């Protein structure tokens, strides 16, 4: 099939590259010219395992094209995936101006059937706004079109795998014609395909992300209780997780959820409910608990070290999760900022996210960046772990201990087993155990 993907961010790029990999002819529209240049040269502007390899394959077989020209993209095919940004407004609601633009421009140029598909996360009933926009700008009311919702559930760091092997595919459609297109598109996928109306599909996405965020805030509160009572959060999570109704996934306690989705989607869902006259207080609490996690972590560091002023502290991990260079809404940002205000001298290391972090926290004024985890800990009086990269799990802790001025670890991600680290002679402060 010929497919157009508007938006070259995480979702758009993965969608375009994966559909091309599956044999479709894909054009990705990305408005930033420098990004398009990079993409045409086979280089990904984001770090995502496996993405560049698949890009090379499809670029060389000419199944994947990039353009800055929205009109060219919209004329390229009849099936248009809308993967543009839906940034958060100050009141928590989503700014949908980019979605509106795609709907409007498509309507203006279409002369025959088009299927407009929302893949970006949008508030329930956005499809109605898209339809209204198309009706307003379309050349003739006789030209047929459909609007569908096909939310994407991929995670950063495992985007390709998640896209190609999803747990389920959700498709909200209103016509047989649109349904048939999706059946053809996803015929080789080995997972349940749930056909719904568009509003239901839109809601499934926000409800899923908010539910997962709720699991994380829940377990983080239980972790606090474990710290007070001497219980072990990992065993609590295991004990809960074996219950199929609960499940073990997303019960890892830590320093809170970050990234481009959960913080924004929870706030947006609260706002959506509000717009319909409902107070989703449960989610307000999920959000509040999460916002406090970095503060609780810094309090713990201060409790352990008494004062951090002028102390050299190493920080391992800046990305909001492993296997990505993304630092959007990463808890590390708040934590580093608070520690700097307390007068700490920080030596930061992350395998992929340092360049992005430098844009927010340039070198100097209490901040330095290390070339590897070991140089970060040299003569440090504490090591703080903020992202659970494999590299840290495998680190030579004997060497780390030898390099540190004081062998002390405050681990925000429960990377190690407490007995093992303590047996090596570290003071070790994990989360909730
Ligand atoms: C999320 C959803 O998982 C995905 O389905 C959706 O499409 C986009 O949003 P992503 O933000 O890429 O994906 O990462 P995810 O793996 O879900 O992690 C989000 C945050 O939650 C990270 O900061 C992570 O560290 C944190 N987290 C996750 C926990 O603190 N504990 C957990 O048990 C799981």
């Amino acid at each position: 099939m010929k497919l157009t993907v508007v938006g070259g961010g995480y979702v758009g790029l993965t969608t375009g590259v994966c559909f091309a990999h599956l044999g479709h002819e894909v054009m990705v529209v990305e408005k930033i010219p420098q990004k398009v240049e990079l993409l045409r040269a086979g280089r990904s502007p984001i770090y995502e395992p496996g993405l560049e390899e698949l890009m090379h394959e499809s670029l060389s077989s000419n199944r994947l094209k990039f353009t800055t020209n929205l009109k060219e993209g919209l004329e390229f095919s009849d099936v248009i995936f809308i993967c543009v940004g839906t940034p958060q407004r100050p009141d928590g609601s989503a700014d949908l101006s980019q979605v509106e633009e795609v709907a409007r421009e498509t309507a203006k140029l279409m002369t025959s059937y088009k299927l407009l598909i929302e893949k970006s996360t949008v508030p329930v009933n956005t499809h109605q706004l898209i339809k209204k926009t198309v009706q307003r700008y379309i050349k003739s009311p006789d030209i047929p079109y459909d609007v569908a919702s096909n939310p994407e559930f991929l995670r950063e760091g495992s985007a390709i795998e998640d896209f190609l092997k999803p747990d389920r595919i959700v498709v909200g459609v209103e016509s047989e014609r649109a349904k048939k297109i999706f059946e053809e598109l996803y015929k080789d996928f080995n997972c349940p395909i749930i056909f719904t109306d568009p509003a239901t599909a839109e809601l499934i996405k926000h409800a899923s992300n908010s539910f997962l965020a709720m699991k994380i805030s829940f377990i983080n509160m239980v972790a606090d209780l474990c710290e007070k009572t001497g219980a072990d959060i990992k065993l609590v999570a295991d004990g809960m997780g074996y219950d199929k109704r609960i499940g073990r996934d997303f019960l890892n306690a830590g320093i809170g959820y970050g990234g481009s989705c959960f913080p924004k989607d929870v706030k947006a869902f609260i706002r959506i409910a509000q717009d319909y006259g409902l107070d989703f207080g449960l989610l307000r609490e999920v959000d509040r608990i999460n916002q406090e996690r970095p503060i609780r972590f810094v309090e713990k560091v201060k409790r352990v070290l008494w004062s951090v002023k002028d102390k050299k502290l190493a920080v391992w991990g800046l990305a909001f999760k492993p296997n990505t260079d993304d630092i959007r809404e990463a808890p590390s940002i708040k934590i580093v900022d608070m520690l700097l205000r307390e007068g700490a001298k920080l030596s930061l290391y992350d395998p992929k996210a340092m360049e992005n972090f430098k844009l927010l926290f340039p070198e100097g004024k209490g901040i330095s960046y290390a070339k590897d985890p070991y140089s970060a800990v040299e003569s440090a009086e504490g090591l703080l772990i903020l992202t659970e990269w494999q590299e840290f799990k495998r680190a030579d802790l004997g060497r780390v201990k030898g390099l540190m001025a004081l062998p002390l670890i405050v681990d925000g991600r429960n990377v190690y087993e407490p007995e093992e680290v303590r047996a090596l002679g570290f003071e070790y402060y994990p989360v909730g155990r």
Side-chain angles (χ1 to χ4, degrees):
M1 286 167 80
K2 277 182 120 181
L3 307 171
T4 297
V5 175
V6 186
Y10 265 97
V11 170
L13 196 53
T14 310
T15 302
V17 169
C18 287
F19 275 136
H21 167 71
L22 293 171
H24 301 288
E25 241 185 281
V26 182
M27 184 173 282
V28 177
V29 184
E30 165 55 54
K31 61 179 169 205
I32 303 172
Q34 297 87 325
K35 256 192 175 183
V36 168
E37 250 170 67
L38 212 62
L39 290 163
R40 282 182 179 153
R43 303 216 337 260
S44 167
I46 49 171
Y47 171 75
E48 184 61 42
L51 188 67
E52 280 195 352
E53 287 80 345
L54 288 195
M55 261 173 77
H56 291 162
E57 174 201 283
S58 303
L59 281 169
S60 53
S61 60
N62 231 3
R63 285 198 307 273
L64 181 62
K65 295 187 181 73
F66 295 99
T67 180
T68 49
N69 189 329
L70 180 60
K71 194 161 174 273
E72 185 190 356
L74 297 176
E75 279 167 349
F76 176 77
S77 86
D78 301 336
V79 180
I80 295 153
F81 284 94
I82 307 175
C83 304
V84 295
T86 53
Q88 188 181 308
R89 289 213 197 88
D91 65 358
S93 67
D95 173 354
L96 298 173
S97 53
Q98 296 183 61
V99 178
E100 192 266 355
E101 187 191 358
V102 180
R104 179 167 27 93
E105 292 308 313
T106 308
K108 280 191 203 159
L109 60 79
M110 64 193 266
T111 51
S112 60
Y113 180 79
K114 296 241 186 237
L115 171 59
L116 279 166
I117 306 163
E118 307 162 346
K119 224 172 191 0
S120 311
T121 304
V122 291
V124 58
N125 279 333
T126 298
H127 71 282
Q128 301 281 18
L129 299 174
I130 296 179
K131 280 202 306 201
K132 218 182 241 171
T133 304
V134 174
Q135 279 158 15
R136 199 169 281 157
Y137 290 96
I138 204 161
K139 282 181 196 135
S140 147
D142 301 329
I143 305 171
Y145 69 93
D146 274 306
V147 178
S149 163
N150 174 210
E152 182 48 60
F153 298 97
L154 63 81
R155 289 163 299 177
E156 292 183 23
S158 54
I160 305 283
E161 174 85 6
D162 287 348
F163 188 93
L164 295 173
K165 292 191 187 112
D167 289 342
R168 78 319 203 170
I169 291 167
V170 174
V171 181
V173 282
E174 285 177 315
S175 80
E176 267 308 306
R177 184 172 190 171
K179 188 174 177 211
K180 283 218 166 67
I181 294 175
F182 282 104
E183 280 169 345
E184 172 65 20
L185 191 63
Y186 289 123
K187 69 175 186 305
D188 295 328
F189 281 68
N190 216 351
C191 67
I193 302 184
I194 300 136
F195 283 102
T196 69
D197 58 278
T200 303
E202 290 164 338
L203 207 66
I204 287 173
K205 173 68 188 184
H206 264 126
S208 301
N209 273 2
S210 299
F211 189 86
L212 291 169
M214 180 181 75
K215 273 185 105 173
I216 299 170
S217 279
F218 181 88
I219 205 68
N220 282 336
M221 282 312 294
V222 180
D224 283 355
L225 202 54
C226 286
E227 282 187 18
K228 301 265 185 224
T229 56
D232 183 331
I233 191 63
K234 268 210 164 161
L235 297 176
V236 171
D238 289 347
M240 290 170 64
Y242 280 115
D243 186 327
K244 286 196 196 73
R245 294 169 302 175
I246 298 174
R248 178 64 177 82
D249 288 351
F250 281 69
L251 287 183
N252 295 320
I255 48 176
Y257 57 77
S260 63
C261 292
F262 285 174
K264 182 178 91 168
D265 290 355
V266 168
K267 289 189 185 74
F269 209 32
I270 296 169
R271 179 67 210 205
I272 291 164
Q274 222 171 51
D275 288 345
Y276 289 94
L278 299 170
D279 176 16
F280 213 147
L282 175 65
L283 287 184
R284 278 195 281 113
E285 197 56 18
V286 167
D287 183 44
R288 187 194 66 77
I289 292 168
N290 194 60
Q291 301 221 32
E292 280 193 355
R293 295 315 288 176
I295 302 168
R296 295 283 97 83
F297 181 80
V298 171
E299 277 170 4
K300 188 197 260 184
V301 173
K302 281 164 53 186
R303 214 167 39 241
V304 167
L305 287 166
W306 195 6
S307 162
V308 296
K309 192 165 187 311
D310 293 327
K311 283 191 181 152
K312 179 181 169 182
L313 302 176
V315 175
W316 280 4
L318 303 168
F320 83 98
K321 63 181 275 188
N323 296 322
T324 179
D325 60 358
D326 198 343
I327 58 161
R328 282 177 289 176
E329 300 278 335
S332 60
I333 297 173
K334 276 192 189 168
I335 292 171
V336 164
D337 187 53
M338 281 184 276
L339 290 170
L340 283 178
R341 284 170 200 274
E342 295 281 338
K345 306 270 174 268
L346 304 176
S347 174
L348 311 180
Y349 173 76
D350 186 283
K352 293 287 174 200
M354 287 197 287
E355 289 312 310
N356 284 337
F357 213 75
K358 276 179 196 169
L359 300 174
L360 292 183
F361 295 95
E363 203 130 13
K365 285 198 201 141
I367 293 266
S368 65
Y369 289 87
K371 65 178 191 318
D372 60 50
Y374 300 102
S375 30
V377 297
E378 259 173 54
S379 67
E381 294 186 59
L383 162 61
L384 317 179
I385 302 180
L386 307 186
T387 318
E388 66 279 32
W389 285 90
Q390 277 299 330
E391 187 174 346
F392 306 150
K393 288 187 185 165
R394 288 196 299 257
D396 176 351
L397 289 182
R399 187 170 161 204
V400 170
K401 181 167 177 259
L403 289 165
M404 292 181 76
L406 197 69
L408 183 151
I409 301 175
V410 187
D411 182 353
R413 297 291 190 174
N414 285 342
V415 169
Y416 306 117
E417 280 311 312
E419 320 76 75
E420 290 171 18
V421 194
R422 287 178 187 140
L424 288 170
F426 282 96
E427 259 188 75
Y428 181 62
Y429 300 92
V431 181
R433 25 190 353 207

